[in-house]
Amino acid sequence: MPPIDVRGRSLMYDDTGDGEVVLCIHGFPFNRSMWDEARMALASRYRVLSPDLRGFGESSGSDSWTLDDQANDLIELLDRLGIDRAAVLGLSMGGYIALNLARRYPERLWAMVLIDTKATSDNYEAKQNRLKTAETALREGAAPIAAQMLPKLLSSANAEDQRLLERLNSMMLTTNPKTIANAAHAMASRPDSTQYLSTMAMPSFVIVGNDDQITTPHDAHAMVNALPNASLVTIPDAGHMSVLEQPEIAYGAIRAFLEQAHNA
C-alpha cells in the first residue's frame, strides 16, 4: 500500500483481506513486519490493517510523542480509510496503545486482544531504565538496545532459534535511535490503565507466553480479572514474543476469539 498522510506525517501500512477490520499494533522497537503471520492467519476472514507506528519502520516522524499521539494517529488512519470500528491487536507497547484506545475511543473497537502486555504503569526503577535506554540510543544508536533486549524476548525453548533471533534483531537495528528514545520516554510517562479496565466492556482476549519475563503471566491474570468481558490463553514454550514464537497456537486462539466476538 502507498503511504497515507496522517496528522502531517507519512504512515506506511499493510492492508490485506476483506471483512471486519482487525488493527494490529506492533511492539517496541519493532515494525509492522512482525504481523506478517497475522495477515496470513486472519486475512481469509478479516481485513487486516497493520501500520508502522509514527517514527517506526517506514513511517515518518522524529519529533517527540506520547501514547495518546500514537492512538490519535491510528484513529485518524481509520477515519482516512473510512473504517468505523476495528478489533485491535496490540503486543507489548502496542498493548499499551490498545488500552489507550479502549479508554479514550471505546466506540471504535469491537474487540481487543492484549498480547504480552500489562495495564500497570512503570514503577520508579522501570522509569529510570527507560530513561537510560533513551540516553543510550541517542548516544550509541540502536545496536546496544537490541543487544540488551534480545536475550529477554524469547522463552528458553526458542532461545536458539536463529531465524527468529535474526528477524527480531533486524527489526530492532533498523529502528531510528530517535524513535527508540521517544518511545522510551512515552512508555515511562504512560498512565496506569488498571483503574479503567472495569469500563472496557468490549470482548477482550489476553494472551501471554508462559515464560514471558517482561510482562508476566501474573500481569495477564490481573488484567483478565479486572476486565468485565475477558478470557485468557497462556501460550506454552513462549516468552514475550508469543505470537512469533508459537504462531499456529496463538493465531488459532485469536481466530477463535474473534469469531466468537464477531458473532456475539
Side-chain angles (χ1 to χ4, degrees), residues 131-154:
L131 299 181
K132 290 177 183 176
T133 293
E135 293 171 0
T136 300
L138 293 176
R139 185 176 62 249
E140 302 177 37
I145 308 304
Q148 181 185 36
M149 288 185 63
L150 195 58
K152 303 175 184 178
L153 294 174
L154 304 179

Side-chain angles (χ1 to χ4, degrees), residues 105 125 128 208:
Y105 301 99
E125 181 181 1
Q128 293 306 304
V208 65

Side-chain angles (χ1 to χ4, degrees), residues 27 60-61 68 77 92 104 125 129 137 147 157 162 229 247 251 260 263:
S60 66
D68 280 3
L77 177 64
S92 194
R104 298 171 58 233
E125 181 181 1
N129 287 335
Q162 293 303 311
N229 187 16
Y251 285 115
Q260 183 179 30
N263 293 328

Side-chain angles (χ1 to χ4, degrees), residues 3 37 51 81 88 100 106-107 116-117 132 135 180 198 243 250:
E37 289 84 354
L81 295 174
V88 61
N100 186 297
E107 73 283 357
D116 297 296
T117 192
K132 290 177 183 176
E135 293 171 0
I180 292 175
S198 63
V243 292

Side-chain angles (χ1 to χ4, degrees), residues 130-210:
R130 301 268 196 209
L131 299 181
K132 290 177 183 176
T133 293
E135 293 171 0
T136 300
L138 293 176
R139 185 176 62 249
E140 302 177 37
I145 308 304
Q148 181 185 36
M149 288 185 63
L150 195 58
K152 303 175 184 178
L153 294 174
L154 304 179
S155 74
S156 57
N158 303 301
E160 303 301 323
D161 185 335
Q162 293 303 311
R163 180 195 61 82
L164 184 52
L165 288 168
E166 290 172 7
R167 180 180 176 186
L168 293 170
N169 200 46
S170 176
M171 283 191 284
M172 291 190 285
L173 289 177
T174 54
T175 300
N176 187 322
K178 176 65 173 174
T179 296
I180 292 175
N182 289 339
H185 283 287
M187 288 188 287
S189 63
R190 77 185 189 279
D192 193 317
S193 293
T194 305
Q195 61 184 314
Y196 304 107
L197 293 177
S198 63
T199 70
M200 299 177 185
M202 72 284 293
S204 299
F205 192 40
V206 178
I207 294 177
V208 65
N210 69 327

Side-chain angles (χ1 to χ4, degrees), residues 1 13 15-23 42-49 81-83 86-87:
M1 301 299 298
Y13 64 101
D15 189 351
T16 309
D18 294 297
E20 294 287 340
V21 175
V22 177
L23 173 64
L42 303 176
S44 62
R45 175 67 179 80
Y46 302 99
R47 179 181 177 184
V48 181
L49 190 64
L81 295 174
I83 297 168

Side-chain angles (χ1 to χ4, degrees), residues 65 99 107-108 114 120 129 145 157 159 163 170 224 245-246 261:
W65 44 264
L99 287 167
E107 73 283 357
R108 304 300 297 269
L114 301 169
T120 54
N129 287 335
I145 308 304
R163 180 195 61 82
S170 176
V224 170
E245 295 176 76
Q246 301 293 344

